[in-house]
Amino acid sequence: MSLDLSFSPSKAMSPKAKYTDRFIPRRLDIVSDLSVFQQQENGKINSNDVETSPTKQDYKRALKELVYPYMSPNEKLLSLSASLSPASPSKGLGSYTVNDLPTSPSLSSPSKKKISRFIPKSADKILDAPQIVDDYYLNLLDWSPTNVLAVALNQSVFLWNASTGAAHKLMQTDGRGDIITSLSWGSGNTLAVGTHSAEIQLWDVSTSALVRTLRGHEQRVSSLTWSSGSSLSSGSRDCQIIHHDTRANNHKIASLHGHRHEVCGLKWSPQANQLASGGNDNVLYIWEARNNRPRLCIERHRAAVKALAWCPFQHNTLASGGGTADRKICLWNTSNGTCFNEVDTKSQVCAIEWSIHDKEFVSSHGFTHNQLILWRHYGSGRLQKVTELTGHQARVLHMAKSPVMGLTLVVHECDCCAQDGTTVVSAAADETIRFWRIFGAGRNSASKLKDEQASRSLLGANSIR
């Protein structure tokens, strides 16, 4: 009997027979280094040499993001998803071209890659600010929607046009020791100026004219914030918060009582329906519009609460920072008073500014490091430190963010002060004002920013007055 080894079509492998019940993992779907890293992170591999300090953990998180920038926190180490497409009849078992393989994060096309961002480590521009008052509880810096920077130096207010570089003095108080204690830009060319003599002066900067003076406080006005074009709120050392209608003869609308010491932080939410106030009594209050009683009283901080900033992309989210004895940044859900997260910054928190382009914010600090810190916000209160910026020689008391002119990005000769919301200005007790290109914007690539940083000149005005 002969053995028939010829191929018969009836004996050909059916389509169902092309796959077996065996699962053969592919190296393409396995990130072995990351697997070991996460096992160490989860304690599955014991090692007495692994440091567990907060600094080491921050370093490991930053390293993980740098090495695996495409790996999301919930992404699997081993992919068991869609199988390979069936082989064509002309291919043998396991014979696939590159185009047949599923897309891997490490092999993705350049158009899908995460765009890197260059963050300059030094200030783009430095201005002298002689006689700026070294007082943590004051608010002496603000940047207008028309790209004009206002800064209070002792008893005077100076304006610096970020588009032209021109600077001039707007006003000066008359009384001895009557220093400027707060500044806040309204709509258009209106600037509110709080003084040590408990007055609020409204100035039209286009004509350098005093429009009117608002009274009602008994002690210095240390914080100001606008809720609309004509509605201004002020906080004082007399522990009061007063709402003003700047158009009415009887400007005082309401007076809020709750704080037991000076009100040094005051911010309306972007929707103008919630007011956050912080005081030297270590208390954070959340007030609703048209309600004279606080909706939330938060006593988590252990020092004065001056740094306040509402999140521009997530409603009811507020960042607050405490003074020297506290040093913490807290993220709050103001709808119910829940603390999303609390971070010990190791330094006095003086100010906070959110980016309008990315889910990031920057904080400025005093004792003991006098630095700026850029933080990335991942939602649900999760924060990651991106970088620290140093240069100031004393505590960084004030910060403001460059404006954005509608939907069109306006660029001037001084590109560090372009009206695109990417620049933060800081004022410190070392009597300097520094401009930092710290926030990202879609129009700038990393290479372009590096070229700009290398070629940018510090020529021009180098003093605010």
Side-chain angles (χ1 to χ4, degrees), residues 304-338:
V305 184
K306 177 195 174 186
L308 297 171
W310 291 92
C311 179
F313 52 82
Q314 186 172 334
H315 290 184
N316 302 319
T317 299
L318 174 73
S320 64
T324 306
D326 182 72
R327 307 178 304 178
K328 293 181 175 62
I329 292 177
C330 295
L331 293 182
W332 303 97
N333 181 347
T334 58
S335 63
N336 55 22
T338 302

Short mmCIF file of all heavy atoms in Angstrom, two decimals, residues 304-338:
data_model
loop_
_atom_site.label_atom_id
_atom_site.label_comp_id
_atom_site.label_asym_id
_atom_site.label_seq_id
_atom_site.Cartn_x
_atom_site.Cartn_y
_atom_site.Cartn_z
N ALA A 304 -1.96 82.32 57.12
CA ALA A 304 -2.78 83.24 56.33
C ALA A 304 -3.00 82.71 54.92
O ALA A 304 -2.10 82.13 54.30
CB ALA A 304 -2.10 84.60 56.28
N VAL A 305 -4.21 82.91 54.42
CA VAL A 305 -4.59 82.43 53.09
C VAL A 305 -4.68 83.64 52.16
O VAL A 305 -5.67 84.37 52.16
CB VAL A 305 -5.94 81.68 53.12
CG1 VAL A 305 -6.25 81.10 51.74
CG2 VAL A 305 -5.93 80.58 54.16
N LYS A 306 -3.61 83.85 51.42
CA LYS A 306 -3.58 84.97 50.47
C LYS A 306 -3.72 84.51 49.03
O LYS A 306 -4.42 85.12 48.23
CB LYS A 306 -2.28 85.75 50.63
CG LYS A 306 -2.13 86.90 49.63
CD LYS A 306 -0.72 87.41 49.56
CE LYS A 306 -0.58 88.45 48.46
NZ LYS A 306 0.82 88.87 48.27
N ALA A 307 -3.03 83.41 48.66
CA ALA A 307 -3.01 82.93 47.28
C ALA A 307 -4.33 82.23 46.95
O ALA A 307 -4.66 81.20 47.53
CB ALA A 307 -1.85 81.98 47.07
N LEU A 308 -5.09 82.80 46.02
CA LEU A 308 -6.37 82.24 45.59
C LEU A 308 -6.46 82.34 44.07
O LEU A 308 -6.11 83.37 43.48
CB LEU A 308 -7.55 83.00 46.20
CG LEU A 308 -7.69 82.98 47.73
CD1 LEU A 308 -8.77 83.95 48.16
CD2 LEU A 308 -8.00 81.58 48.22
N ALA A 309 -6.92 81.26 43.41
CA ALA A 309 -7.07 81.28 41.96
C ALA A 309 -8.12 80.26 41.54
O ALA A 309 -8.04 79.09 41.92
CB ALA A 309 -5.73 80.98 41.27
N TRP A 310 -9.10 80.72 40.77
CA TRP A 310 -10.15 79.84 40.25
C TRP A 310 -9.68 79.17 38.97
O TRP A 310 -9.07 79.81 38.10
CB TRP A 310 -11.42 80.64 39.97
CG TRP A 310 -12.10 81.16 41.20
CD1 TRP A 310 -11.92 82.37 41.80
CD2 TRP A 310 -13.08 80.47 42.00
NE1 TRP A 310 -12.72 82.49 42.91
CE2 TRP A 310 -13.44 81.34 43.06
CE3 TRP A 310 -13.68 79.22 41.92
CZ2 TRP A 310 -14.38 80.99 44.02
CZ3 TRP A 310 -14.62 78.87 42.87
CH2 TRP A 310 -14.96 79.74 43.92
N CYS A 311 -10.01 77.89 38.84
CA CYS A 311 -9.64 77.13 37.65
C CYS A 311 -10.47 77.61 36.46
O CYS A 311 -11.70 77.67 36.54
CB CYS A 311 -9.87 75.64 37.88
SG CYS A 311 -9.48 74.59 36.47
N PRO A 312 -9.84 77.95 35.32
CA PRO A 312 -10.60 78.48 34.18
C PRO A 312 -11.29 77.42 33.34
O PRO A 312 -12.16 77.74 32.54
CB PRO A 312 -9.52 79.20 33.36
CG PRO A 312 -8.27 78.44 33.66
CD PRO A 312 -8.38 77.99 35.09
N PHE A 313 -10.93 76.15 33.51
CA PHE A 313 -11.50 75.10 32.65
C PHE A 313 -12.36 74.11 33.41
O PHE A 313 -12.93 73.21 32.82
CB PHE A 313 -10.37 74.33 31.93
CG PHE A 313 -9.29 73.82 32.83
CD1 PHE A 313 -9.45 72.63 33.53
CD2 PHE A 313 -8.12 74.52 32.99
CE1 PHE A 313 -8.46 72.16 34.36
CE2 PHE A 313 -7.11 74.05 33.82
CZ PHE A 313 -7.28 72.87 34.50
N GLN A 314 -12.51 74.26 34.72
CA GLN A 314 -13.34 73.36 35.51
C GLN A 314 -14.10 74.16 36.56
O GLN A 314 -13.49 74.75 37.45
CB GLN A 314 -12.46 72.30 36.19
CG GLN A 314 -13.24 71.21 36.91
CD GLN A 314 -12.33 70.08 37.38
OE1 GLN A 314 -11.28 69.84 36.81
NE2 GLN A 314 -12.75 69.38 38.41
N HIS A 315 -15.40 74.20 36.42
CA HIS A 315 -16.22 74.98 37.34
C HIS A 315 -16.08 74.46 38.77
O HIS A 315 -15.83 73.27 39.01
CB HIS A 315 -17.69 74.93 36.92
CG HIS A 315 -17.97 75.67 35.65
ND1 HIS A 315 -19.24 75.83 35.14
CD2 HIS A 315 -17.15 76.30 34.78
CE1 HIS A 315 -19.19 76.52 34.02
NE2 HIS A 315 -17.94 76.81 33.77
N ASN A 316 -16.23 75.37 39.71
CA ASN A 316 -16.23 75.05 41.14
C ASN A 316 -14.91 74.46 41.62
O ASN A 316 -14.87 73.73 42.61
CB ASN A 316 -17.37 74.07 41.49
CG ASN A 316 -18.73 74.62 41.13
OD1 ASN A 316 -19.01 75.81 41.33
ND2 ASN A 316 -19.59 73.78 40.59
N THR A 317 -13.81 74.79 40.93
CA THR A 317 -12.49 74.32 41.36
C THR A 317 -11.64 75.54 41.71
O THR A 317 -11.45 76.43 40.89
CB THR A 317 -11.81 73.49 40.27
OG1 THR A 317 -12.61 72.34 39.99
CG2 THR A 317 -10.43 73.05 40.72
N LEU A 318 -11.13 75.53 42.94
CA LEU A 318 -10.36 76.65 43.46
C LEU A 318 -9.04 76.15 44.03
O LEU A 318 -9.00 75.12 44.71
CB LEU A 318 -11.15 77.37 44.56
CG LEU A 318 -10.43 78.49 45.33
CD1 LEU A 318 -10.28 79.73 44.45
CD2 LEU A 318 -11.19 78.83 46.61
N ALA A 319 -7.97 76.88 43.75
CA ALA A 319 -6.66 76.60 44.35
C ALA A 319 -6.38 77.66 45.41
O ALA A 319 -6.59 78.85 45.17
CB ALA A 319 -5.57 76.60 43.30
N SER A 320 -5.93 77.22 46.58
CA SER A 320 -5.60 78.15 47.66
C SER A 320 -4.25 77.78 48.23
O SER A 320 -3.84 76.62 48.23
CB SER A 320 -6.67 78.11 48.76
OG SER A 320 -6.71 76.84 49.39
N GLY A 321 -3.53 78.80 48.72
CA GLY A 321 -2.20 78.57 49.29
C GLY A 321 -2.05 79.27 50.62
O GLY A 321 -2.59 80.36 50.84
N GLY A 322 -1.32 78.62 51.53
CA GLY A 322 -1.13 79.15 52.87
C GLY A 322 0.26 79.74 53.08
O GLY A 322 1.18 79.51 52.30
N GLY A 323 0.40 80.49 54.15
CA GLY A 323 1.63 81.20 54.46
C GLY A 323 2.72 80.31 55.04
O GLY A 323 2.71 79.08 54.89
N THR A 324 3.65 80.96 55.76
CA THR A 324 4.87 80.29 56.19
C THR A 324 4.62 79.09 57.09
O THR A 324 5.29 78.05 56.97
CB THR A 324 5.78 81.29 56.93
OG1 THR A 324 6.00 82.43 56.08
CG2 THR A 324 7.11 80.66 57.28
N ALA A 325 3.67 79.18 58.00
CA ALA A 325 3.41 78.08 58.92
C ALA A 325 2.60 76.96 58.29
O ALA A 325 2.42 75.90 58.90
CB ALA A 325 2.68 78.60 60.16
N ASP A 326 2.14 77.16 57.07
CA ASP A 326 1.31 76.16 56.39
C ASP A 326 2.02 75.57 55.18
O ASP A 326 2.18 74.35 55.07
CB ASP A 326 -0.02 76.79 55.96
CG ASP A 326 -0.95 75.82 55.29
OD1 ASP A 326 -1.50 74.95 55.98
OD2 ASP A 326 -1.13 75.91 54.06
N ARG A 327 2.37 76.43 54.20
CA ARG A 327 3.15 76.07 53.02
C ARG A 327 2.45 75.12 52.06
O ARG A 327 3.07 74.55 51.18
CB ARG A 327 4.50 75.44 53.43
CG ARG A 327 5.31 76.27 54.39
CD ARG A 327 6.59 75.56 54.78
NE ARG A 327 6.33 74.24 55.35
CZ ARG A 327 7.28 73.39 55.74
NH1 ARG A 327 8.54 73.74 55.62
NH2 ARG A 327 6.97 72.22 56.24
N LYS A 328 1.15 74.96 52.20
CA LYS A 328 0.41 73.98 51.38
C LYS A 328 -0.44 74.66 50.32
O LYS A 328 -0.95 75.76 50.51
CB LYS A 328 -0.47 73.11 52.26
CG LYS A 328 0.30 72.18 53.20
CD LYS A 328 -0.65 71.33 54.01
CE LYS A 328 0.10 70.31 54.87
NZ LYS A 328 0.98 70.95 55.86
N ILE A 329 -0.58 73.96 49.19
CA ILE A 329 -1.55 74.31 48.16
C ILE A 329 -2.67 73.28 48.21
O ILE A 329 -2.41 72.08 48.19
CB ILE A 329 -0.92 74.34 46.77
CG1 ILE A 329 0.08 75.50 46.66
CG2 ILE A 329 -1.98 74.47 45.69
CD1 ILE A 329 0.81 75.54 45.32
N CYS A 330 -3.90 73.77 48.30
CA CYS A 330 -5.07 72.89 48.33
C CYS A 330 -5.95 73.15 47.11
O CYS A 330 -6.10 74.31 46.70
CB CYS A 330 -5.89 73.10 49.61
SG CYS A 330 -5.04 72.64 51.12
N LEU A 331 -6.51 72.09 46.55
CA LEU A 331 -7.50 72.20 45.48
C LEU A 331 -8.85 71.82 46.04
O LEU A 331 -9.01 70.76 46.64
CB LEU A 331 -7.13 71.28 44.31
CG LEU A 331 -5.86 71.63 43.53
CD1 LEU A 331 -5.66 70.65 42.38
CD2 LEU A 331 -5.93 73.05 42.99
N TRP A 332 -9.84 72.70 45.81
CA TRP A 332 -11.15 72.56 46.43
C TRP A 332 -12.25 72.40 45.40
O TRP A 332 -12.22 73.03 44.34
CB TRP A 332 -11.48 73.79 47.29
CG TRP A 332 -10.47 74.08 48.35
CD1 TRP A 332 -9.43 74.98 48.29
CD2 TRP A 332 -10.40 73.49 49.65
NE1 TRP A 332 -8.73 74.97 49.45
CE2 TRP A 332 -9.29 74.08 50.31
CE3 TRP A 332 -11.16 72.53 50.32
CZ2 TRP A 332 -8.93 73.71 51.60
CZ3 TRP A 332 -10.80 72.18 51.61
CH2 TRP A 332 -9.70 72.76 52.23
N ASN A 333 -13.24 71.58 45.75
CA ASN A 333 -14.52 71.56 45.05
C ASN A 333 -15.44 72.46 45.85
O ASN A 333 -15.92 72.10 46.92
CB ASN A 333 -15.08 70.14 44.98
CG ASN A 333 -16.40 70.06 44.26
OD1 ASN A 333 -17.05 71.07 43.99
ND2 ASN A 333 -16.83 68.85 43.93
N THR A 334 -15.68 73.66 45.33
CA THR A 334 -16.44 74.65 46.11
C THR A 334 -17.94 74.39 46.12
O THR A 334 -18.68 75.10 46.79
CB THR A 334 -16.18 76.06 45.57
OG1 THR A 334 -16.55 76.13 44.19
CG2 THR A 334 -14.70 76.42 45.70
N SER A 335 -18.38 73.39 45.37
CA SER A 335 -19.81 73.06 45.44
C SER A 335 -20.16 72.32 46.72
O SER A 335 -21.29 72.40 47.21
CB SER A 335 -20.22 72.21 44.22
OG SER A 335 -19.52 70.98 44.22
N ASN A 336 -19.18 71.59 47.29
CA ASN A 336 -19.46 70.86 48.53
C ASN A 336 -18.36 71.00 49.59
O ASN A 336 -18.45 70.41 50.65
CB ASN A 336 -19.69 69.36 48.22
CG ASN A 336 -18.51 68.75 47.45
OD1 ASN A 336 -17.39 69.25 47.47
ND2 ASN A 336 -18.80 67.67 46.74
N GLY A 337 -17.29 71.74 49.27
CA GLY A 337 -16.23 71.95 50.24
C GLY A 337 -15.21 70.83 50.33
O GLY A 337 -14.37 70.83 51.24
N THR A 338 -15.24 69.89 49.39
CA THR A 338 -14.29 68.77 49.40
C THR A 338 -12.91 69.23 48.96
O THR A 338 -12.78 69.99 47.99
CB THR A 338 -14.78 67.65 48.48
OG1 THR A 338 -16.06 67.21 48.90
CG2 THR A 338 -13.81 66.47 48.50
#
